[in-house]
Amino acid sequence: MRTPIIAGNWKMHNTIAAALELVKGIHYGLPWPGEVEVIVAPPTTAISKVADFLQDSYIQVAGQDLFWEESGAYTGEISGTLLQDAGASAVIIGHSERRQYFHETDATVNKKIKAALALQLMPIVCVGETLAEREAGQVTEVVRTQILEGLAGLTTAEVTDLVIAYEPIWAIGTGKTATPQQAEDVHVIIRHIIAEQFGNDAADAVRILYGGSVKPANSKELLSLPNVDGALVGGASLKAADFIEIIKSVS
Ligand code: PGA
């Protein structure tokens, strides 16, 4: 039984005050969501205040990225240890915006996943194809490479502990969502890749979230798919009412 996850990726939005207002809206608007894990990923500057507010809440806090070294002369970087110190228990890794704008590769994603796992910071690892790759029929190939290289060297137990987010790049922030069939198909492919590489137990246990223009109007359908174990929500996670609607649509 895979417990669903609804995670909100706030990206580079919200001052500390705005972040607190948003998280209060979610916390008080939905006192107990039942069997679903809820995670918010504020910008780094707001993590500590948000985590302090959520100390006794069911909502967990994630970082949006980390660097693989624990400490040192790496100006501008944030380590897993520092994220944990601020109150995070999870971290998004390899988001397509990091890959596109900050030159992250499957090799750096791999180092980041290992660093997070070593600290028991739950990695939410993002994979997904561009529109050109989809149109060229390369979805399986692209996702396979991202998973095999990103998860290289991990044990079955480690794969079980992480979360994969399938986010077709053409659906992120565009208002275009994958159809339920498109999402389910790729989630099945991802589970097969995990099974081949890490065994059936890992494939059965690993949670695979869908991301890309998830909103209240489409979340019920997407979240009812057998291989979709939750959602990574960008834009719609910035409004408490919309995020709550999405959480409630987990059946
Ligand atoms: P979106 O973003 O929901 O705004 O499309 C999703 C994401 O980037 O994680």
Side-chain angles (χ1 to χ4, degrees):
M1 182 61 202
R2 299 185 293 264
T3 307
I5 297 176
I6 303 295
N9 174 11
W10 296 358
K11 307 192 181 184
M12 203 170 69
H13 295 290
N14 288 330
T15 59
I16 293 171
L20 281 172
E21 196 182 316
L22 176 54
V23 83
K24 283 178 188 172
I26 302 164
H27 174 80
Y28 295 124
L30 189 64
W32 170 241
E35 289 302 306
V36 44
E37 286 174 29
V38 178
I39 300 175
V40 293
T44 311
T45 45
I47 289 180
S48 152
K49 286 276 170 59
V50 167
D52 281 352
F53 170 75
L54 292 174
Q55 229 159 23
D56 301 317
S57 166
Y58 62 90
I59 302 173
Q60 300 170 62
V61 180
Q64 298 179 10
D65 178 37
L66 84 167
F67 187 55
W68 55 82
E69 295 291 347
E70 252 187 82
S71 63
Y74 302 103
T75 303
E77 291 296 316
I78 301 287
S79 67
T81 309
L82 296 180
L83 285 178
Q84 252 170 349
D85 182 49
S89 56
V91 61
I92 298 169
I93 297 177
H95 190 280
S96 60
E97 287 150 15
R98 303 270 347 146
R99 295 177 190 256
Q100 184 183 349
Y101 303 127
F102 304 100
H103 315 295
E104 295 208 6
T105 63
D106 294 325
T108 60
V109 166
N110 183 251
K111 288 184 176 192
K112 291 181 177 197
I113 294 171
K114 287 176 176 163
L117 286 169
L119 294 165
Q120 284 169 334
L121 203 52
M122 185 174 79
I124 302 172
V125 183
C126 303
V127 299
E129 81 287 356
T130 62
L131 186 58
E133 288 163 343
R134 173 165 285 270
E135 284 172 352
Q138 296 167 341
V139 177
T140 303
E141 197 182 317
V142 167
V143 168
R144 177 183 294 277
T145 303
Q146 288 171 335
I147 290 178
L148 294 186
E149 293 184 9
L151 275 49
L154 301 192
T155 64
T156 299
E158 286 173 329
V159 172
T160 305
D161 286 344
L162 56 76
V163 173
I164 295 172
Y166 168 58
E167 300 205 305
I169 294 167
W170 47 271
I172 296 177
T174 57
K176 282 186 204 147
T177 321
T179 64
Q181 191 62 53
Q182 284 172 326
E184 176 66 11
D185 285 351
V186 182
H187 283 233
V188 167
I189 288 167
I190 291 172
R191 232 178 266 291
H192 278 159
I193 297 167
I194 299 289
E196 271 167 31
Q197 197 68 14
F198 300 99
N200 287 334
D201 288 350
D204 284 343
V206 71
R207 289 175 290 180
I208 308 173
L209 315 183
Y210 170 79
S213 298
V214 175
K215 43 188 180 260
N218 58 28
S219 58
K220 205 173 178 69
E221 204 174 7
L222 287 162
L223 293 168
S224 65
L225 297 165
N227 283 286
V228 174
D229 306 313
L232 180 55
V233 187
S237 73
L238 297 172
K239 286 195 190 130
D242 285 358
F243 194 56
I244 288 170
E245 274 315 298
I246 293 169
I247 297 165
K248 283 185 178 167
S249 65
V250 177
S251 47

